[in-house]
Amino acid sequence: FVIRYPREASYDSSENINISFGEWILEKEDSEIFSISQNDWPEHCECEECTKTMEKYGGRWSAPIIVAINELARRVKKWQQEDERVKNRTIYLETFAYQYGAEPPIGLEVEDNVIIRLCTHEACFYHALDDKSCPVNKVFMDALTGWKKIAKHLYIWDYTNNHCMEIAFNTILRNIQRN
């Protein structure tokens, strides 16, 4: 990926995705999941190509990430068909649905060897995640529902601290089982 500091890397799959990570996969013989995710900050690439991709798929900044990860996932599938060293391995690429990438793209499916890991980072833990009276958690549940429609593999990265109410004492405890 090309870093356009202080922004996020560009996910333009036509040029910048030509990263070889095959050696990494070969080195980790016992691993099945390889994470390729956005940076842990709110900035995203705003280059022309990423912006076009975002606009094409419902105005969602997750779209350039998914287009890129899908391209890599297809390359992994092709590599597995051609190379005996990885032919019988289970290999998933995993990416976070987090911050600007939390809302799923519209009109774009996720490859079946990709895992989406939706983060509860911006959820409200004072309320249960499925509490319809909480507008913050409604946004999270809408994202969860959207990802379930387009991704075969969906994991939750569940935070145990409450980023919406940092100073509130253990508000998560009353909802952790329900969540």
Side-chain angles (χ1 to χ4, degrees):
F1 297 105
V2 173
I3 302 296
R4 296 197 173 110
Y5 187 80
R7 300 260 186 245
E8 175 74 358
S10 175
Y11 292 96
D12 173 11
S13 63
S14 65
E15 284 180 42
N16 301 324
I17 203 144
N18 292 319
I19 295 174
S20 171
F21 57 92
E23 287 181 30
W24 178 39
I25 291 173
L26 290 172
E27 284 175 14
K28 306 294 183 186
E29 292 177 14
D30 296 332
S31 297
E32 293 184 355
I33 300 173
F34 297 86
S35 185
I36 302 169
S37 296
Q38 68 191 58
N39 282 327
D40 189 9
W41 66 344
E43 299 294 328
H44 51 78
C45 181
E46 296 176 358
C47 75
E48 185 177 338
E49 196 62 36
C50 286
T51 300
K52 282 181 189 176
T53 301
M54 177 271 301
E55 290 169 351
K56 179 179 178 180
Y57 294 107
R60 307 286 175 86
W61 282 108
S62 60
I65 299 168
I66 300 305
V67 166
I69 201 86
N70 276 347
E71 174 64 24
L72 287 171
R74 287 188 291 273
R75 290 181 189 187
V76 166
K77 284 180 189 176
K78 186 173 190 267
W79 180 39
Q80 286 185 283
Q81 292 170 353
E82 298 169 353
D83 191 328
E84 290 296 323
R85 297 173 298 171
V86 291
K87 192 171 213 148
N88 295 314
R89 282 186 59 188
T90 300
I91 300 173
Y92 290 101
L93 303 183
E94 179 250 11
T95 194
F96 281 109
Y98 178 63
Q99 293 180 346
Y100 66 84
E103 288 185 295
I106 297 170
L108 182 61
E109 298 288 321
V110 177
E111 291 290 325
D112 64 358
N113 59 336
V114 171
I115 297 168
I116 300 298
R117 191 175 303 264
L118 179 60
C119 300
T120 60
H121 173 262
E122 294 169 353
C124 166
F125 290 106
Y126 185 77
H127 300 98
L129 293 174
D130 64 352
D131 183 340
K132 292 178 175 42
S133 70
C134 179
V136 173
N137 288 345
K138 183 186 180 321
V139 172
F140 174 81
M141 291 304 292
D142 288 349
L144 177 65
T145 301
W147 284 112
K148 283 170 51 176
K149 290 177 182 175
I150 65 169
K152 182 176 179 182
H153 305 286
L154 178 62
Y155 295 0
I156 301 296
W157 183 276
D158 194 15
Y159 283 81
T160 56
N161 55 333
N162 185 352
H163 289 289
C164 288
M165 304 175 98
E166 294 277 356
I167 61 171
F169 179 73
N170 292 328
T171 57
I172 193 170
L173 294 179
R174 68 188 210 164
N175 293 309
I176 201 164
Q177 184 176 10
R178 181 171 166 186
N179 287 345

